[in-house]
């Protein structure tokens, strides 16, 4: 992949954050925030950012398809394109909308490119932290322009730090995960922003993260970032994650050993 596309999409996310998202942070009126479904918020920033990003991505790759979170809320049939041929962009214009609407950090802007149904590139921007991660399949991951590896210096199980979004888990699985968390150094409750969770894996602030809900725009970008940095992202049964799969449950870890140890601890092997 040409460096030009890698830079162009990164620049697009920064520009969208600067021109659309950040000017509305902590400046939303009640009318600017609505519910797509009970508890599932969308703001004017989400809609404006998705429109800007989508239009620009189509120009960068003429003939490509864009599947954005807000577009799918209006037309779920767009998800049929996820295993199609050609280029497809997945867009999460403001990941962590609940945080954004409440005036809290973190939130992120995320894009993934799929080519012929397979992840090809990914971008995650935390605009308040001014942190950008980019990955290209087969070419590794860059964090603020520097190569990064997740597997360097991973501690043993009793010293691991990681996140488990237990409130979404089925009750029996949640009880097992909470009990198993006592074997882990520090089990965090989550930040309500998948993009930031993936960035924290890249920075070494945590060594694993466990999700239940796995909407493609929430996870396709971060999974490629982690995999290209040497990490592992699999379903609870050990099958590899793919953004077109409708299964629930995803465990992402800094390396192979950590993935197995955390699964054994939280999910019983």
């Amino acid at each position: 992949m040409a460096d030009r596309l890698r830079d162009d999409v990164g620049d697009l996310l920064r520009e969208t954050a600067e021109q659309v998202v950040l000017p509305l942070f902590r400046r939303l009126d009640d009318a600017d925030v609505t519910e797509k479904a009970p508890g599932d918020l969308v703001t004017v920033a989400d809609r404006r950012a998705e429109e800007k990003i989508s239009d620009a991505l189509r120009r960068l790759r003429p003939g490509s398809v864009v599947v954005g979170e807000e577009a799918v809320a209006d037309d779920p049939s767009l998800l049929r394109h996820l295993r199609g041929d050609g280029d497809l962009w997945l867009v999460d214009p403001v990941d962590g909308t609940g945080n954004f609407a409440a005036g809290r950090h973190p939130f992120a802007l995320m894009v993934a490119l799929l080519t012929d149904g397979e992840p090809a590139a990914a971008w995650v921007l935390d605009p308040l932290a001014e942190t950008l991660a980019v990955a290209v399949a087969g070419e590794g991951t860059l964090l603020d322009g520097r190569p990064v590896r997740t597997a360097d210096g991973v501690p043993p199980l009793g010293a691991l730090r990681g996140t488990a979004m237990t409130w979404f888990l089925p009750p029996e699985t949640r009880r097992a995960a909470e009990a198993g968390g006592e074997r882990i150094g520090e089990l965090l409750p989550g930040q309500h922003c998948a993009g930031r969770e993936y960035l924290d894996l890249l920075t070494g602030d945590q060594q694993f993260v466990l999700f239940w809900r796995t909407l493609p725009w929430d996870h396709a970008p971060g999974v490629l970032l982690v995999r290209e940095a040497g990490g592992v992202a699999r379903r609870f049964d050990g099958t590899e994650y793919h953004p077109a799969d409708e299964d629930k449950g995803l465990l992402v870890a800094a390396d192979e050993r950590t993935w197995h140890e955390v699964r054994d601890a939280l999910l019983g092997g």
Side-chain angles (χ1 to χ4, degrees):
M1 175 178 293
D3 289 342
R4 179 65 181 272
L5 182 65
R6 179 165 29 201
D7 293 342
D8 283 347
V9 177
D11 291 344
L12 170 62
L13 293 186
R14 288 191 180 101
E15 180 182 287
T16 303
E18 181 180 346
Q19 297 180 2
V20 178
V21 178
L22 293 179
L24 289 166
F25 184 51
R26 296 176 178 163
R27 294 180 177 86
L28 295 171
D29 297 326
D30 289 344
D32 294 332
V33 183
T34 56
E35 282 190 326
K36 295 179 287 187
D40 189 6
L41 300 181
V42 60
T43 74
V44 64
D46 294 81
R47 297 192 184 281
R48 291 177 183 173
E50 183 166 306
E51 181 178 359
K52 178 178 174 63
I53 293 169
S54 299
D55 289 347
L57 293 176
R58 292 188 187 99
R59 290 194 297 270
L60 286 174
R61 283 283 174 98
S64 60
V65 174
V66 179
V67 176
E69 178 179 4
E70 308 315 327
V72 171
D74 296 332
D75 181 8
S77 71
L78 288 171
L79 291 171
R80 72 186 186 278
H81 294 292
L82 285 177
R83 288 196 183 273
D85 296 332
D87 291 328
L88 177 142
W89 302 97
L90 279 165
V91 177
D92 192 339
V94 181
D95 176 54
T97 296
N99 292 339
F100 180 82
R104 298 191 303 262
H105 180 263
F107 52 90
L109 288 73
M110 307 199 295
V111 168
L113 173 64
L114 277 59
T115 299
D116 297 332
E118 294 303 319
W123 295 259
V124 174
L125 172 69
D126 179 336
L128 292 181
E130 298 183 345
T131 296
L132 174 67
V134 182
V136 174
E139 299 183 19
T141 298
L142 300 178
L143 182 63
D144 294 327
R146 297 181 178 181
V148 62
R149 299 290 294 175
T150 60
D152 295 341
V154 179
L157 180 67
L160 289 177
R161 188 173 191 265
T163 294
M165 264 65 77
T166 56
W167 61 87
F168 290 123
L169 294 172
E172 190 170 321
T173 307
R174 182 173 63 248
R175 288 191 291 271
E178 290 172 346
E182 296 179 2
R183 298 170 56 191
I184 291 170
E186 186 175 4
L187 190 64
L188 307 171
Q191 303 176 75
H192 301 278
C193 176
R196 189 64 244 182
E197 302 290 357
Y198 284 108
L199 290 175
D200 284 353
L201 269 165
L202 298 179
T203 62
D205 287 339
Q206 60 184 1
Q207 290 80 45
F208 69 89
V209 58
L210 184 148
F211 301 98
W212 180 245
R213 300 194 303 180
T214 57
L215 295 168
W217 43 81
D218 285 335
H219 298 284
V223 164
L224 187 61
L225 290 173
V226 170
R227 282 178 174 166
E228 285 296 318
V232 178
R234 299 193 185 111
R235 300 294 185 178
F236 293 170
D237 65 359
T239 57
E240 297 292 336
Y241 166 84
H242 189 281
D245 295 338
E246 297 182 3
D247 298 334
K248 294 184 183 296
L250 177 64
L251 176 59
V252 186
D255 62 4
E256 189 77 30
R257 173 185 63 82
T258 302
W259 192 91
H260 285 283
E261 289 183 347
V262 172
R263 186 180 68 165
D264 290 348
L266 299 184
L267 303 172

